[in-house]
Amino acid sequence: MGAFVFFILATLASQCSHVHGQYYKDKFESFIKTSVYSYYEKKIRPINDQTKALDVEIAFSAVAINGLDAAGGALEIVGILTATWQNDLLIFNTSPDWNGLEGLLFPQNNLWRPTLVLDNSATSLTEVGDSSYRIRIDANGKHEWTIGLVATSACSVDVTNFPFDSHSCELIFTPWGTTSSEVTLSPKATTVDRTHYSESSEWTFQSSSLASSTKDNTSYLTITINLKRDPGYFFVNLMMPITVVALLNILVFLLPSECGERVGYAVTIFLTFAVYLDIITATLPKSTDSTSKLANYLISMVILGALTSLMIIISLYVYHKDEEAPIPSWLIKLSTCLHCKCKIKSTSVAPSRTSSPTAKKPIGPGSIKVGIGSRQNTFDFELRNLDKGRRQVPIGFPEKAPIVNFPDGSVYDDDDDDEEIDVDWHYVSASLDYLFCFITFWVTLGLSCFFLLPLAFV
């Protein structure tokens, strides 16, 4: 019995639904045939006074930033464009016939619509929209056209502060084929809607704006999007290794000259800088309008790496120079000064020559041993008793003030600065390493402060 009742009720509901659907179908066909839509012409601008311009309001909602190609100067963005205008030729009242229905959807090809084109497109100048999109109309003639958009626009980038750079990109729309006296574009909102926006892993959406303008009797709507790059990836994978390699470039002078890897080490550092420079130039635009500080730093380090290799070659050339070759006096002076011994007498000797000072021995009252540098000679002096015979000093002195050993073990040294230093080519090579290391350190520090330090305050 229950099953029979359920069957009867289901049959009645199906028939009522069919009748109800058929009713609205008949009403819609009647609307198409009898309302203003029956004689509506989509080729005419939907405005009563054809001497006036039709205003189209534009709103934009960002969905995602697919990427900003700095090298190609193009922004790819996914968004939703909504165009709204008033159609004076298609106004009707659906309340009596449609039970308060607020609007109807029609295929976009059945109604007039503005021919919107992305004027600064980086791919092609084609009309936005698709035949599958629809236009919603209400009884008062308001039309709303919602378009899904994947746009690639040209964007002028400034990579001076790469990878801490910020960019301002624009989407410029225009009603193609119409003048500003026929169709004008105006912003419906002052900013881009980010309700459905998905954050990018590389770019941070900072701010946006919408503004209309007229140029050459054509209306334009400009959507400005301000983006800032997230520097984390490039800082870890680019800037930190470059800084470490710059420090390693200085340490090459600490390797001993006997080590055969000094030149290979320097050349390896030079090639490392060249590889990083190639990586950066592939990321940045090929333009001289703005050059990256990081790229300029790498160019400077490549030059410094080449100069470091040259300095190592010079140092090794000096180190392996013929032992019997004379050393120029200016080079001897430079070498001793670099060791902070400018006031000490130096002589040029062959590396095979060795000097072993003779140990000073106590002297008797008739003679003393005088040592100058690494050589010692015996001189006879008339001694004078001073301090009641507790100390004896010579009355006369040789050409250079001697070092005197007295019987009581005390030493008399009138001029310690007359010590001699034997300078050979190995000594000169080590001195040049000190000089080159000093120069490389301060040049590297100066370049780092000039190019990299300002990036920390961007």
Side-chain angles (χ1 to χ4, degrees), residues 91-271:
I91 298 177
F92 53 89
N93 188 358
T94 60
S95 297
D97 298 332
W98 294 91
N99 196 24
L101 188 64
E102 295 181 355
L104 300 173
L105 285 174
F106 287 90
Q108 67 172 28
N109 294 333
N110 292 358
L111 301 172
W112 180 94
R113 68 185 188 278
T115 308
L116 295 179
V117 173
L118 183 61
D119 189 67
N120 63 333
S121 173
T123 54
S124 60
L125 295 175
T126 56
E127 181 185 4
V128 300
D130 186 81
S131 59
S132 61
Y133 293 135
R134 296 177 178 273
I135 298 177
R136 178 178 294 276
I137 65 176
D138 64 9
N140 298 320
K142 180 182 177 181
H143 287 39
E144 186 177 85
W145 182 31
T146 303
I147 310 164
L149 188 67
V150 180
T152 303
S153 65
C155 181
S156 178
V157 297
D158 182 4
V159 294
T160 302
N161 296 320
F162 174 86
F164 300 90
D165 48 335
S166 300
H167 305 285
S168 180
C169 297
E170 296 179 342
L171 302 173
I172 304 176
F173 292 94
T174 183
W176 195 264
T178 58
T179 64
S180 57
S181 60
E182 296 171 338
V183 177
T184 59
L185 300 181
S186 61
K188 189 175 182 179
T190 57
T191 59
V192 173
D193 178 37
R194 286 187 281 172
T195 303
H196 306 288
Y197 180 72
S198 299
E199 292 291 340
S200 172
S201 59
E202 184 178 358
W203 298 98
T204 301
F205 198 119
Q206 288 190 308
S207 60
S208 61
S209 63
L210 282 77
S212 60
S213 61
T214 302
K215 183 179 179 181
D216 298 332
N217 199 26
T218 303
S219 180
Y220 295 94
L221 182 92
T222 303
I223 302 173
T224 304
I225 299 175
N226 299 316
L227 302 174
K228 182 177 178 60
R229 189 193 302 270
D230 184 0
Y233 173 82
F234 291 98
F235 181 80
V236 173
N237 295 281
L238 199 63
M239 295 190 67
M240 289 184 62
I242 289 173
T243 305
V244 173
V245 174
L247 295 176
L248 293 177
N249 188 44
I250 304 173
L251 301 180
V252 65
F253 296 101
L254 301 182
L255 293 176
S257 297
E258 295 83 359
C259 178
E261 300 298 329
R262 297 188 82 191
V263 176
Y265 181 98
V267 172
T268 301
I269 296 295
F270 166 78
L271 294 177

Side-chain angles (χ1 to χ4, degrees), residues 224-334:
T224 304
I225 299 175
N226 299 316
L227 302 174
K228 182 177 178 60
R229 189 193 302 270
D230 184 0
Y233 173 82
F234 291 98
F235 181 80
V236 173
N237 295 281
L238 199 63
M239 295 190 67
M240 289 184 62
I242 289 173
T243 305
V244 173
V245 174
L247 295 176
L248 293 177
N249 188 44
I250 304 173
L251 301 180
V252 65
F253 296 101
L254 301 182
L255 293 176
S257 297
E258 295 83 359
C259 178
E261 300 298 329
R262 297 188 82 191
V263 176
Y265 181 98
V267 172
T268 301
I269 296 295
F270 166 78
L271 294 177
T272 303
F273 283 127
V275 169
Y276 277 114
L277 179 61
D278 182 67
I279 294 174
I280 287 184
T281 53
T283 306
L284 303 179
K286 299 174 178 61
S287 172
T288 57
D289 294 338
S290 63
T291 56
S292 170
K293 293 179 182 178
L294 184 59
N296 290 337
Y297 174 75
L298 276 176
I299 293 173
S300 303
M301 294 307 298
V302 167
I303 297 175
L304 181 60
L307 294 178
T308 301
S309 301
L310 179 61
M311 289 186 284
I312 291 296
I313 293 173
I314 293 174
S315 176
L316 292 177
Y317 172 78
V318 172
Y319 183 83
H320 294 287
K321 197 170 178 61
D322 186 9
E323 297 177 351
E324 301 301 329
I327 304 176
S329 58
W330 67 268
L331 196 54
I332 296 176
K333 188 67 175 176
L334 175 64

Side-chain angles (χ1 to χ4, degrees), residues 334-336 338-339 426-436:
L334 175 64
S335 300
T336 54
L338 289 175
H339 285 82
H426 291 182
Y427 188 88
V428 173
S429 176
S431 303
L432 291 178
D433 282 341
Y434 295 152
L435 176 62
F436 293 154

